[in-house]
Amino acid sequence: MRSRVNRVVLIGTGFVGSSYSFALLNQGVTEELVLVDLNKEKSEGDAMDLNHGMPFAPSPTSIWFGDYSDCKDADLVVITAGANQKPGETRLDLVEKNTKIFKSIVGQVMESGFDGIFLVATNPVDILTYAVWKFSGLPKERVIGSGTILDTARFRYLLGEYFKVDTRNVHAYIIGEHGDTELPVWSHADIAGKNIDDWISKEAAYKQEDLDSLFLNVRDAAYQIIERKGATYYGIAMGLVRLTKAILQNENSVLTVSAYLDGQYGHNDVYIGVPAIVNRNGIRDIVELNLSKDEQDKFTQSVKVLKKTMEPVIKN
């Protein structure tokens, strides 16, 4: 029998944080969930509201509004706090604002004696994950960003729609910055073990131009959703729950997260979206795909953009 229960501390109960809490409770992923936010009343209300749904949950979860001292016994601290992306604003525009916020948050978490895993979802996620690693002093394996997990999900969903195949049988990755320089790895995209190129060549109705357009919809999805409803939160919340399960249940699952590169893909000292094996210890390994020359060039450009953007605000 396990000697202790799993505890997740969520910092930030805005749209993403509250959606994550709701999805976490519905899937019965953790035994304890602590909500931490500057807006105490809102978070207390969230805790009450979630607890009232407990009779309908698959397993019991203790949920309460807490503070940074609760991080001491946490297995996982999930950060969704920070300034939101506004219409017309890129994720990278947020870097300066949110780096300052994160310095304070991570300092208070570490003061509690926290020794678990950080999961970062706030944008620009790759740069803020790097900031959390720097500010916390934790090993790189135990600081993970949500990276391109949602972009990859959008990609798989739209490919499934296009080819009329269950999205869960589509295997394809979006890698790079979670943002405007991300790229699809067409060279490794397949459905049922058959490369996407094979699907196109067998059926006249399928065209590469359609797929190019499909990727643009993946890349620009956040802008389209923000235009319509002001923010994106359901998809990323479910992606965060998927990551939480992979960590707490020691799954060794391959997920496209923001991970620290130390020579992989020819780059180092950057957090960026790549397929990685995730388990109870964090990132076990980075899966290094053999990219085409075009893909490698685009990935290198993505790394350059991230490094240039974070240089003025994150001092090594």
Side-chain angles (χ1 to χ4, degrees):
M1 277 197 47
R2 226 172 37 212
S3 59
R4 59 185 299 275
V5 298
N6 287 313
R7 176 181 294 184
V8 174
V9 175
L10 169 69
I11 300 172
T13 59
F15 284 131
V16 173
S18 54
S19 299
Y20 168 71
S21 302
F22 183 60
L24 206 60
L25 173 63
N26 270 288
Q27 295 187 39
V29 176
T30 185
E31 290 90 347
E32 293 184 347
L33 174 62
V34 187
L35 309 180
V36 176
D37 197 285
L38 284 173
N39 187 342
K40 185 182 175 187
E41 285 198 350
K42 197 270 181 188
S43 294
E44 283 181 330
D46 270 344
M48 291 166 69
D49 202 1
L50 289 164
N51 277 316
H52 296 163
M54 201 68 68
F56 311 116
S59 59
T61 307
S62 295
I63 303 173
W64 70 93
F65 171 80
D67 55 40
Y68 286 103
S69 66
D70 290 303
C71 296
K72 182 180 186 298
D73 297 320
D75 301 276
L76 183 66
V77 166
V78 180
I79 308 179
T80 62
N84 290 328
Q85 189 176 350
K86 293 174 182 163
E89 190 174 41
T90 71
R91 297 176 182 97
L92 294 177
D93 288 333
L94 300 173
V95 66
E96 201 161 344
K97 285 188 271 190
N98 282 333
T99 302
K100 285 176 186 167
I101 295 168
F102 268 49
K103 191 162 193 176
S104 167
I105 288 172
V106 175
Q108 291 177 84
V109 171
M110 296 313 292
E111 278 170 24
S112 75
F114 173 68
D115 193 34
I117 293 169
F118 271 111
L119 177 53
V120 182
T122 309
N123 283 316
V125 69
D126 304 289
I127 294 172
L128 291 176
T129 306
Y130 186 98
V132 170
W133 172 59
K134 280 288 183 187
F135 298 151
S136 69
L138 288 174
K140 62 185 186 299
E141 296 82 11
R142 290 203 272 131
V143 180
I144 307 170
S146 54
T148 49
I149 192 168
L150 177 56
D151 311 272
T152 293
R154 288 167 172 157
F155 193 37
R156 290 173 59 202
Y157 168 74
L158 289 175
L159 284 170
E161 287 276 290
Y162 183 71
F163 289 106
K164 297 181 175 58
V165 173
D166 185 338
T167 187
R168 292 169 297 182
N169 298 123
V170 177
H171 302 283
Y173 298 120
I174 298 289
I175 63 171
E177 171 216 350
H178 173 52
D180 299 337
T181 64
E182 67 186 34
L183 62 132
V185 187
W186 290 118
S187 60
H188 290 276
D190 75 74
I191 300 171
K194 228 171 109 172
N195 193 276
I196 293 292
D197 286 344
D198 292 341
W199 285 78
I200 293 176
S201 63
K202 297 274 163 60
E203 180 65 63
Y206 301 140
K207 297 179 177 61
Q208 184 59 48
E209 306 91 83
D210 292 343
L211 296 186
D212 294 338
S213 174
L214 181 150
F215 164 65
L216 294 180
N217 279 330
V218 170
R219 188 193 65 191
D220 299 336
Y223 300 124
Q224 294 166 14
I225 295 168
I226 288 166
E227 228 172 62
R228 287 162 174 78
K229 56 178 268 189
T232 72
Y233 37 92
Y234 297 136
I236 187 58
M238 291 185 74
L240 291 173
V241 172
R242 180 70 195 89
L243 268 166
T244 301
K245 280 178 75 175
I247 292 165
L248 296 183
Q249 296 176 13
N250 198 33
E251 286 184 352
N252 291 302
S253 294
V254 177
L255 299 162
T256 45
V257 295
S258 190
Y260 183 83
L261 297 189
D262 195 10
Q264 295 93 341
Y265 294 96
H267 296 283
N268 55 59
D269 198 36
V270 66
Y271 266 87
I272 195 164
V274 287
I277 300 170
V278 180
N279 66 18
R280 186 82 198 196
N281 297 315
I283 292 174
R284 193 192 87 193
D285 283 306
I286 287 171
V287 178
E288 200 165 357
L289 301 170
N290 289 319
L291 302 178
S292 69
K293 187 184 181 306
D294 181 55
E295 289 163 352
Q296 184 64 51
D297 289 346
K298 285 176 178 171
F299 186 79
T300 296
Q301 178 59 23
S302 197
V303 169
K304 281 180 183 170
V305 167
L306 283 172
K307 285 191 168 184
K308 186 180 176 189
T309 309
M310 75 179 183
E311 195 179 359
V313 289
I314 300 178
K315 306 288 183 278
N316 285 314

